[in-house]
Amino acid sequence: MLGLSINHYLTPEGYSLTRFLDEAAAVGAEGVGMTERALSEMALPELKRALRERNLVVTSLNSSGFFLWADPERAARQAEINARLIARAAELEADTLVLIGGGLHDMGEEHPRNLAEARRRVEAELPAIIEAAGRAGVRLGIEPMHPLRIFTKACLNTLAQTEVLLQRHPDLGLVLDLFHSWWEPDLHEALGRLADRITLVQVCGVTQSRTEPALPRRCLPGEGVIDLPAILKTLDQAGYRGRFEFELFAQDLDGREPVDVMRAAMADFAWLAGDANAEQGRPVA
């Protein structure tokens, strides 16, 4: 049976990191995705000990990159953050350090917001951070994001774009977040070509309200529109043997306790991945 990791983004502000690690271990997660907030809460030696005691690996560290800041001070601060995250990823032996290019809003109000220029600038910044990560023994995985995130997060939006970057930068990997990529018409063909470059697959469900204007949002893997069994089959046939990580944000909890969502995600993933009990229908966590 495939294992599943849980990303720390699931927990709201004030939710103890120790509690999160305890609950991730209790529900049977094989690892955790770490965030900058998590790193700020616990000293690194203590965090490494806590992970070891709970038999948890770090499947991702989030997030480096953000290359488009127009403000020099903000750009300098981001460079410091990137260097610190590379060092932390190395110390934690994280499977992948997530890399996000940056969105058009980062370029400032005065910029003409030339999307082609933004993408050119992101690629121009890649060699330096790839080299720095390589020196530290850290795997970088760049994450394409849904076009709705062009302004706020990422001007890298499709697997086709990402494949071009991977061809040009052999030491760069791919973080496949299905929330952002599930809709692509050539998804399965792309996964067949890119499986050996994927450093992490992030899973969830995707849903959208039928009755009011709303953006798509994350939900449990057993809910929403993503055909996860078909995607898992394609990845397996293409030779992907890396990690899977459940990523859902605190604002998507809908009043549920994080541990209950963790438990439900683990059950959903086991069911959808073809566990022995899958034919009995969706499990009740």
Side-chain angles (χ1 to χ4, degrees):
M1 186 178 74
L2 296 177
L4 187 66
S5 172
I6 308 288
N7 196 290
H8 179 251
Y9 281 132
L10 178 69
T11 63
E13 290 286 344
Y15 203 91
S16 158
L17 178 58
T18 299
R19 179 180 177 186
F20 166 70
L21 296 176
D22 283 343
E23 292 174 346
V27 302
E30 68 176 14
V32 289
M34 289 281 94
T35 64
E36 288 187 72
R37 175 162 62 90
L39 296 183
S40 70
E41 183 176 333
M42 189 179 291
L44 201 62
E46 183 183 354
L47 176 55
K48 292 171 67 174
R49 182 169 58 253
L51 292 164
R52 187 169 58 250
E53 289 172 349
R54 293 161 180 81
N55 199 30
L56 295 169
V57 299
V58 176
T59 48
S60 70
L61 182 57
N62 301 266
S63 302
S64 63
F66 298 99
F67 302 119
L68 299 178
W69 293 111
D71 176 62
E73 291 186 6
R74 185 64 184 83
R77 187 160 70 251
Q78 185 65 55
E80 293 174 357
I81 291 170
N82 290 342
R84 183 166 63 250
L85 287 173
I86 289 172
R88 297 294 183 269
E91 291 185 76
L92 292 170
E93 299 181 348
D95 282 354
T96 190
L97 173 58
V98 180
L99 183 66
I100 296 172
L104 292 178
H105 284 331
D106 299 346
M107 300 174 75
E109 292 297 327
E110 301 304 317
H111 196 278
R113 294 191 175 131
N114 182 318
L115 182 56
E117 171 63 13
R119 288 171 172 161
R120 187 201 66 77
R121 284 176 54 184
V122 168
E123 183 167 4
E125 295 289 341
L126 286 176
I129 195 168
I130 292 171
E131 182 182 354
R135 288 196 304 268
V138 169
R139 298 172 73 197
L140 276 179
I142 195 164
E143 180 178 344
M145 291 190 166
H146 192 282
L148 286 170
R149 299 296 192 269
I150 282 178
F151 287 98
T152 58
K153 282 290 187 70
C155 57
L156 181 71
N157 308 110
T158 68
L159 290 171
Q161 284 177 274
T162 310
E163 187 169 5
V164 172
L165 289 182
L166 296 178
Q167 291 170 350
R168 293 174 180 166
H169 303 281
D171 293 328
L172 182 63
L174 163 66
V175 171
L176 176 70
D177 185 339
L178 293 177
F179 178 78
H180 294 296
S181 299
W182 70 273
W183 57 275
E184 295 203 36
D186 62 344
L187 174 64
H188 291 269
E189 293 81 1
L191 296 184
R193 296 190 303 271
L194 298 175
D196 64 340
R197 301 294 294 275
I198 297 173
T199 62
L200 177 68
V201 177
Q202 293 179 321
V203 300
C204 65
V206 176
T207 188
Q208 186 173 16
S209 172
R210 289 176 177 268
T211 58
E212 59 185 56
L215 294 174
R217 57 193 295 270
R218 295 175 187 261
C219 58
L220 286 165
E223 302 170 0
V225 297
I226 296 179
D227 187 354
L228 188 57
I231 292 171
L232 294 177
K233 181 178 180 180
T234 294
L235 287 167
D236 179 65
Q237 291 177 342
Y240 178 72
R241 299 295 181 266
R243 308 278 190 181
F244 294 88
E245 181 181 283
F246 174 59
E247 184 175 74
L248 184 140
F249 292 85
Q251 64 264 28
D252 299 318
L253 286 170
D254 291 334
R256 296 169 294 183
E257 285 295 319
V259 67
D260 294 333
V261 174
M262 293 183 209
R263 189 177 296 110
M266 296 293 296
D268 272 1
F269 188 72
W271 168 56
L272 293 168
D275 191 26
N277 297 318
E279 295 182 0
Q280 299 179 9
R282 188 182 180 204
V284 178

